[in-house]
Amino acid sequence: CIVHSQMQKQGTIVYSTRPSSASKQAGRLVDAELWSKVSPALAIGKVNPEQLQDAEVAVNVSVIDARKKASLDVMGFELVEAESLGNEVTKSTAMAAAVAVAKKRLPDALEFFPFDTTFRSSARDNRDSSKGPGGRASNLSSAVGRAHADFSPESARLKIDQLIHDGTLPSSFSSSKQWAILNVWRPLNIVYHAPLCFLDPATQSLPSFSYALAYEHQAGFNASIQAESCHQWYFFDTMTPNEAVLFWNFDQRKCHNDPLGTGGSVYHAALDAHIPPSDPNMVRYSVEVR
C-alpha cells in the first residue's frame, strides 16, 4: 500500500512571556520607523514605558502543511486561489484585490472596509529598522516571528471606534450587531523562507494577554499567548503569488463563549523569522490587507 503523509517542517517560533505582575504590561519600545508602520494597523492607546516587560522565549516547533485541512469556518484560516498581483503592486491595488478575494469567499457579507495595507520582507529586522535592505528608509516591514494575534477583543473594539472617528467607517457601523476583522495575506513571490504559520485554536488552553508596541507614551496593542506543548502549528507549503490566506483577526460572533479571550482571532507567526535567509533569492515578500 502507499501511505501519504502530510508535509512537515521544523523551525522556531517566538513566544512572549506573560507579565510577572498585574502592574506590568507585556511589550516593548519600537523606533520611529517601525511605529509609522504599525500604528495605522493597530488600536492605539496610552502606556507607561516603565511598566513594559519585554521577555520572550524561542520554541522549536513542528509545523504541518494545512493545504488539505484548514478552513476559515473551523480553524479560522484558509488557503484560496487568487489572481497574481503582478510586479507593480500598490496599496490601492492590493486593497482592491483583497476585497475581491474576500467577497468571493464570503458572499453573504454585506460590506467590506479595507483599512490597512502592509508590505513585508523577511530580510528586514523586526526589532531594529536600520537593519535589512533599505535601512530606515525602507517602506517594507519585517516578517514577525512572535506568536501573536493582531487584535484582542478589547483592542478590536477600540480600533473600530478609531476607524469611525477618522471616517474610514460610517458612524452607523457602531450599531452593527455582527462584524469581524479579516486579514487577507498573500506572497508576492514563492515562499521558501519564513512561511507564515497559524495556530490551531483547538490546541490553545491558556488565556491570551495584551501586548504593546510602544513609542514614547503611545502604543499599538495586539495580543500574545504563552508557549504550550499542546500547541499545533500549521503552514501552507511553498505558497505562490496565485494564492492567498484568509484568517480572522477578530470575529464578534465568537465573543459570547470565549473563556480564553481570543475573540476568534487566529494566532500566527513567521517560522524562523529571526534567521536571515542565506540566499537573497530566498527572501519572502508579502502583502496583507486588513
Side-chain angles (χ1 to χ4, degrees):
C1 66
I2 299 175
V3 178
H4 293 278
S5 61
Q6 288 178 300
M7 167 67 183
Q8 294 194 26
K9 184 185 287 285
Q10 306 294 319
T12 300
I13 283 176
V14 175
Y15 286 88
S16 302
T17 301
R18 182 180 290 275
S20 55
S21 70
S23 64
K24 295 292 186 179
Q25 164 69 56
R28 62 184 176 90
L29 290 170
V30 301
D31 56 37
E33 287 75 21
L34 181 55
W35 176 249
S36 70
K37 295 179 175 68
V38 302
S39 55
L42 302 179
I44 305 302
K46 298 293 185 181
V47 71
N48 181 351
E50 295 182 357
Q51 294 180 326
L52 294 176
Q53 179 176 304
D54 182 13
E56 298 179 338
V57 57
V59 176
N60 292 322
V61 298
S62 176
V63 297
I64 300 174
D65 189 359
R67 284 182 176 273
K68 297 182 179 180
K69 180 178 178 66
S71 73
L72 195 61
D73 298 328
V74 177
M75 299 176 74
F77 57 94
E78 182 177 320
L79 184 75
V80 299
E81 294 182 355
E83 185 176 346
S84 173
L85 294 172
N87 296 324
E88 301 295 329
V89 187
T90 65
K91 286 190 175 183
S92 59
T93 59
M95 278 189 171
V99 170
V101 169
K103 283 183 175 181
K104 183 176 180 180
R105 177 59 184 83
L106 301 166
D108 294 331
L110 297 179
E111 292 182 280
F112 294 85
F113 299 93
F115 64 87
D116 177 70
T117 303
T118 302
F119 292 89
R120 299 187 186 274
S121 162
S122 67
R124 300 279 300 153
D125 189 274
N126 185 237
R127 283 184 165 260
D128 187 344
S129 295
S130 68
K131 296 180 180 179
R136 296 191 185 281
S138 175
N139 64 347
L140 298 173
S141 296
S142 67
V144 180
R146 176 176 61 88
H148 70 286
D150 293 352
F151 297 95
S152 66
E154 295 76 19
S155 67
R157 296 185 182 98
L158 177 59
K159 185 63 180 179
I160 291 301
D161 290 342
Q162 292 170 348
L163 291 173
I164 292 171
H165 183 265
D166 69 20
T168 302
L169 292 175
S171 58
S172 59
F173 188 91
S174 59
S175 62
S176 300
K177 293 184 178 180
Q178 290 192 1
W179 57 273
I181 301 176
L182 182 72
N183 191 313
V184 180
W185 186 97
R186 52 191 309 176
L188 299 176
N189 58 346
I190 298 176
V191 178
Y192 299 110
H193 176 252
L196 191 61
C197 301
F198 304 89
L199 179 66
D200 181 350
T203 66
Q204 179 186 349
S205 65
L206 296 176
S208 57
F209 54 93
S210 171
Y211 188 92
L213 292 166
Y215 179 68
E216 297 180 347
H217 289 277
Q218 298 183 90
F221 291 92
N222 56 26
S224 285
I225 48 173
Q226 292 175 255
E228 297 186 76
S229 59
C230 56
H231 283 174
Q232 180 58 68
W233 290 88
Y234 289 88
F235 78 122
F236 298 100
D237 185 39
T238 323
M239 278 188 68
T240 74
N242 294 101
E243 297 174 315
V245 179
L246 279 63
F247 63 98
W248 295 118
N249 282 170
F250 175 78
D251 187 349
Q252 191 186 44
R253 297 169 299 179
K254 297 184 179 180
C255 289
H256 303 297
N257 182 21
D258 188 26
L260 301 181
T262 65
S265 297
V266 172
Y267 281 83
H268 53 285
L271 192 71
D272 288 337
H274 63 292
I275 303 174
S278 56
D279 182 346
N281 294 319
M282 302 289 279
V283 174
R284 179 258 275 179
Y285 295 96
S286 63
V287 59
E288 64 207 58
V289 175
R290 298 174 179 87

